Amino acid sequence: MTIENKTVLITGANRGIGHALVEEALTRGAKRVYAGTRQPLRHLDGRVTPLTLDVTDAAQIRAAAESIGCLDILINNAGLGLYADLSDRAALERHLAVNLFGSYDTTHAFLPLLTSSRGAIVNVVSLAALAAVPLDPTYAISKAAAFSLTQSLRMLLAGQGVSVHAVLAGPVDTDMGPQIDLPRASPESVARAILAAVESGDEDIFPDPISDSIADGWRNGVSKALEQQFAALVPAEAVTS
């Protein structure tokens, strides 16, 4: 998979990692970048097409899917971080609505296009998917669920030629990032690392120094080996619909 001459859709594209991904996709020669945002977006590059896309709004997802004729890469980047207490069920539901079901619904809406192009799905999850973060436990739960969704899609879509990637980022210097005393990577460096890894075919992407420090251990560890063993159980004719 290369970004050059490809059509890319990025959700949550108005700020942070999403905005940086739009710019990096353009730098890498994308033919068309659909920038999904909840608020109107303007961009000077004619290759960017703004899309009104709240990933919790079924009607907006459906309208966006109907407006796009072809798609090579879907990047589910839209996310929510509330820093809520574990006892706050409403916060957990809001996290799940965006971080899990937003990616789930958007992926299913665009899956026919991605299957046709034998494209790629990139889910921006978090290191919090691998180990709970006490600062924001409901966020960690939602990201763990999103990572499990990513692994499930990876197994089920492999036979259809669609690659599925998980971005397991550590602290990133955005307005949604954790306000803790740890080095935080820039959104621009993270976006470069994400798209470089997609082009290299990496399934699990560790795009910053903190996450990269565990990359080898994850790729050679028991959890990854178990995922690969389970993938062998998927029937060749399996589909997600």
Side-chain angles (χ1 to χ4, degrees), residues 127 130 166 168-170 197 202-225:
L127 277 184
L130 304 183
L168 295 151
D202 295 342
E203 288 187 339
D204 299 319
I205 300 169
F206 299 84
D208 59 275
I210 288 180
S211 66
D212 186 59
S213 68
I214 72 159
D216 288 342
W218 171 260
R219 291 172 179 141
N220 298 308
V222 172
S223 294
K224 189 64 181 178

Side-chain angles (χ1 to χ4, degrees), residues 37-210:
T37 64
R38 289 184 298 169
Q39 304 297 328
L41 175 74
R42 297 184 64 185
H43 199 285
L44 296 178
D45 194 308
R47 292 174 292 166
V48 176
T49 299
L51 281 180
T52 300
L53 183 54
D54 180 340
V55 299
T56 66
D57 188 316
Q60 288 188 12
I61 294 172
R62 184 169 57 252
E66 292 172 352
S67 72
I68 294 177
C70 64
L71 185 65
D72 298 299
I73 304 170
L74 168 64
I75 304 180
N76 288 308
N77 168 74
L80 178 68
L82 297 174
Y83 297 95
D85 186 83
L86 187 56
S87 64
D88 190 341
R89 181 189 172 102
L92 174 59
E93 291 177 348
R94 288 180 63 192
H95 274 132
L96 290 169
V98 177
N99 298 342
L100 173 62
F101 292 112
S103 295
Y104 177 91
D105 292 337
T106 303
T107 296
H108 275 270
F110 287 96
L111 190 55
L113 295 179
L114 294 165
T115 302
S116 177
S117 67
R118 299 179 71 86
I121 298 165
V122 182
N123 289 339
V124 179
V125 286
S126 168
L127 277 184
L130 304 183
V133 177
L135 291 173
D136 200 356
T138 56
Y139 171 86
I141 291 168
S142 69
K143 288 298 187 178
F147 185 43
S148 185
L149 169 65
T150 305
Q151 292 174 310
S152 298
L153 288 169
R154 181 181 294 158
M155 296 179 190
L156 293 167
L157 295 176
Q160 301 177 52
V162 178
S163 63
V164 183
H165 310 262
V167 178
L168 295 151
V172 182
D173 190 15
T174 68
D175 56 5
M176 200 182 83
Q179 304 304 309
I180 53 179
D181 189 20
L182 284 174
R184 291 188 286 172
S186 71
E188 294 77 16
S189 67
V190 169
R192 284 194 300 272
I194 290 171
L195 295 189
V198 170
E199 291 188 325
S200 297
D202 295 342
E203 288 187 339
D204 299 319
I205 300 169
F206 299 84
D208 59 275
I210 288 180

